[in-house]
Amino acid sequence: MAERARYTLGTFGLEIGMVAVAAVFAFPVYVLVVLAFKPRTEWAQSPLSLPVELYLGNFAEAWEKAYLADALISSVVILVASLMILVVAGSLGGFFLARCLPRLGNALYFMFLAGMILPFQLALIPLYQNMRDIHLLGSPVSLILFHGGIHLPLALFLYTGFIRTIPRAYEEAARIDGASDFQVFALVVFPMLRPVTGTVLILCGVFTWNDFMTALLYLSGSDWATVPVTIYSFVDQYITEWGIVFASLLIGIAPVLLVFLLLQRHMIKGFTSGIKG
């Protein structure tokens, strides 16, 4: 019988170190939440103490003064359209790369992976010029096309690796029954891609929602400003009203945090399957 692992002083020290690291990361979140639920008079006297009672006035003022309703609509439209492009193009492309001739599939696969290595900042100026030339600056279409293209290599990487783990027997049985290639993908393969689709939605969705620099370049001054750009402009104006500022930040991160909590079960499964593939 194998000897049980002993709880040593080194294990205790490791646990203390992990708790300390967790506290370092949790402290800014604590400050953000605490100040968002305090009135000005309370956080000015004791900013780090827990609120005596939950004060929601900061959220009402932030919602009204920062025009977060319009910003949330803009961000949701851009996010949903970008993710639809990534899921459709990524799954179809991944199916082709996983099932075509090995030499061709591998060559295209590594070519797309190069898009994950090169930073998009290298093409920032040419992309901006292209959007300007086709008159898309100030339109959400510019940001949808940008995110639909910039995150496509990651989506292809995850979908291709996951599809390679799916036995071909399912597809062959469908073809014997007379299904076309598209029917095989739509009716047999795609329903099996739920875990990796959750991973794509989380990873690409967080990047798209939090994008600030591209949204500032493409949509600044328009009616389609996203949440990060709107909060940036709001913070610059109300820099001394920390309660209102932190309340606006909480409103901005709440949607993406909710989506992450709903889809986190699928994230690790889909990501590890893509790596093994």
Side-chain angles (χ1 to χ4, degrees):
M1 184 175 180
E3 184 180 357
R4 290 185 177 181
R6 299 172 57 185
Y7 189 85
T8 63
L9 185 62
T11 304
F12 176 75
L14 181 61
E15 290 179 349
I16 294 297
M18 295 176 65
V19 171
V21 171
V24 169
F25 283 95
F27 180 72
V29 179
Y30 170 80
V31 174
L32 174 67
V33 175
V34 166
L35 292 185
F37 286 98
K38 280 185 175 182
R40 179 183 178 87
T41 55
E42 188 175 342
W43 63 255
Q45 296 177 355
S46 55
L48 297 183
S49 63
L50 291 173
V52 177
E53 59 179 346
L54 296 181
Y55 175 70
L56 302 179
N58 292 329
F59 293 89
E61 291 190 54
W63 184 266
E64 180 181 354
K65 293 180 179 179
Y67 303 102
L68 288 177
D70 295 336
L72 285 171
I73 293 175
S74 300
S75 292
V76 169
V77 169
I78 293 170
L79 176 67
V80 172
S82 301
L83 292 180
M84 287 179 62
I85 292 175
L86 288 170
V87 170
V88 174
S91 58
L92 283 170
F95 180 64
F96 174 79
L97 294 177
R99 296 297 189 247
C100 69
L101 295 175
R103 183 174 299 180
L104 174 62
N106 290 332
L108 293 174
Y109 181 69
F110 288 111
M111 182 185 71
F112 281 112
L113 287 186
M116 297 176 56
I117 301 173
L118 299 175
F120 78 91
Q121 287 84 355
L122 293 176
L124 192 61
I125 295 177
L127 283 173
Y128 179 85
Q129 292 174 338
N130 288 337
M131 295 297 178
R132 179 198 61 195
D133 294 340
I134 59 179
H135 306 290
L136 286 180
L137 292 181
S139 169
V141 178
S142 61
L143 217 56
I144 293 170
L145 293 176
F146 174 83
H147 288 293
I150 205 69
H151 301 309
L152 185 58
L154 176 60
L156 285 171
F157 166 72
L158 294 172
Y159 275 116
T160 303
F162 192 91
I163 292 173
R164 285 174 176 171
T165 65
I166 299 176
R168 293 175 180 262
Y170 296 107
E171 304 162 33
E172 294 171 355
R175 288 192 175 93
I176 292 175
D177 291 337
S180 64
D181 289 340
F182 181 77
Q183 289 174 326
V184 168
F185 169 78
L187 302 178
V188 178
V189 177
F190 188 75
M192 300 180 185
L193 303 182
R194 184 179 301 176
V196 70
T197 299
T199 305
V200 171
L201 293 178
I202 290 176
L203 294 180
C204 300
V206 169
F207 292 144
T208 301
W209 185 270
N210 293 333
D211 177 47
F212 170 75
M213 183 173 62
T214 311
L216 183 65
L217 287 174
Y218 290 178
L219 301 178
S220 181
S222 71
D223 296 332
W224 287 93
T226 58
V227 169
V229 175
T230 301
I231 292 179
Y232 168 76
S233 302
F234 176 73
V235 169
D236 187 51
Q237 183 178 0
Y238 293 89
I239 189 64
T240 58
E241 298 289 342
W242 291 112
I244 301 176
V245 168
F246 287 172
S248 66
L249 292 175
L250 276 181
I251 294 173
I253 66 176
V256 69
L257 181 61
L258 178 62
V259 172
F260 174 78
L261 293 176
L262 292 175
L263 298 178
Q264 62 176 332
R265 293 187 306 169
H266 303 297
M267 181 176 178
I268 300 301
K269 182 179 179 180
F271 190 67
T272 54
S273 299
I275 293 177
K276 290 188 293 185

